[in-house]
């Protein structure tokens, strides 16, 4: 799951609602929307994951049969609402642990979460991971651990 840390963040960040999911996509996943194809794939290569064109998925839960927000996902072929992370530089966001590849207990405060890519992390498509690499264009610095989504992270978006 994903959530903006401030109300103002929602109003200033660009979003792309015109592309469709290529995998079952959860709120908080990283995608690279492509208007030419009409698809929102996950980062296929390390170069894409390290770019500043990464977006985070945050669809409104519009399915009345969903009783628990953690059960919600965007199925293959459904529209994805993707928010451009560079617009959130220095603003807070929250992520639940289920969209992070690493185990909750091993993620330290001060760590950086970066997008996974399909080449390096094929079993974690769309998720975030802990990394000390400095060449990622967009990262989330973990400021504290929270109860968001049972176990979550409160952090700020860092753009290089």
């Amino acid at each position: 799951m994903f959530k903006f840390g401030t109300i103002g963040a929602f109003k200033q960040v660009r979003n792309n609602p015109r592309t469709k999911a290529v995998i079952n996509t959860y709120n908080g996943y990283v995608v690279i929307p492509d208007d030419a194809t009409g698809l929102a794939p996950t980062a296929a290569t390390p170069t894409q994951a390290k770019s500043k064109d990464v977006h985070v998925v945050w669809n409104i839960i519009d399915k009345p049969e969903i009783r628990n927000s953690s059960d919600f996902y965007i199925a293959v072929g459904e529209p994805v609402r993707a928010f451009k992370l560079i617009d959130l530089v220095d603003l807070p966001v929250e992520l639940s642990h289920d969209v992070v590849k690493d185990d909750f207990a091993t993620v330290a405060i001060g760590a950086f979460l970066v997008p996974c890519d399909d080449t390096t992390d094929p079993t974690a498509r769309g998720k975030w991971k802990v990394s000390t690499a400095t060449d990622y264009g967009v990262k989330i610095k973990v400021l504290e651990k929270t109860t968001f989504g049972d176990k979550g992270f409160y952090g700020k978006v860092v753009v290089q």
Side-chain angles (χ1 to χ4, degrees):
M1 294 190 317
F2 170 82
K3 166 173 101 163
F4 294 109
T6 64
I7 294 170
F10 178 80
K11 294 190 283 185
Q12 72 185 38
V13 64
R14 291 173 280 181
N15 71 83
N16 183 337
R18 296 174 299 281
T19 56
K20 298 186 182 210
V22 298
I23 63 169
N24 288 340
T25 306
Y26 291 84
N27 283 340
Y29 271 26
V30 176
V31 294
I32 313 285
D34 183 352
D35 285 328
T37 63
L39 300 175
T42 57
T45 65
T47 303
Q48 283 184 328
K50 292 176 181 182
S51 77
K52 290 186 179 179
D53 196 32
V54 297
H55 290 60
V56 66
V57 174
W58 189 55
N59 279 33
I60 295 170
I61 300 174
D62 59 354
K63 298 177 181 174
E65 65 275 13
I66 300 294
R67 301 233 184 250
N68 185 344
S69 56
S70 64
D71 294 335
F72 175 74
Y73 67 92
I74 301 98
V76 174
E78 289 182 347
V80 168
R81 191 168 187 195
F83 290 84
K84 193 160 189 146
L85 281 172
I86 63 169
D87 292 343
L88 292 171
V89 64
D90 291 331
L91 291 175
V93 296
E94 288 192 69
L95 290 172
S96 59
H97 76 287
D98 56 342
V99 297
V100 176
K101 173 187 162 188
D102 301 284
D103 185 54
F104 180 77
T106 64
V107 178
I109 293 175
F112 287 98
L113 300 175
V114 299
C116 290
D117 64 84
D118 301 350
T119 304
T120 310
D121 302 297
T123 60
R125 292 179 69 190
K127 292 188 175 190
W128 296 86
K129 66 180 177 181
V130 173
S131 178
T132 57
T134 58
D135 57 345
Y136 281 84
V138 179
K139 323 183 232 195
I140 297 175
K141 182 176 183 179
V142 176
L143 299 176
E144 66 181 89
K145 291 184 174 184
T146 67
T147 58
F148 179 65
D150 183 32
K151 298 176 194 168
F153 306 101
Y154 178 83
K156 76 173 182 173
V157 176
V158 177
V159 176
Q160 305 235 63

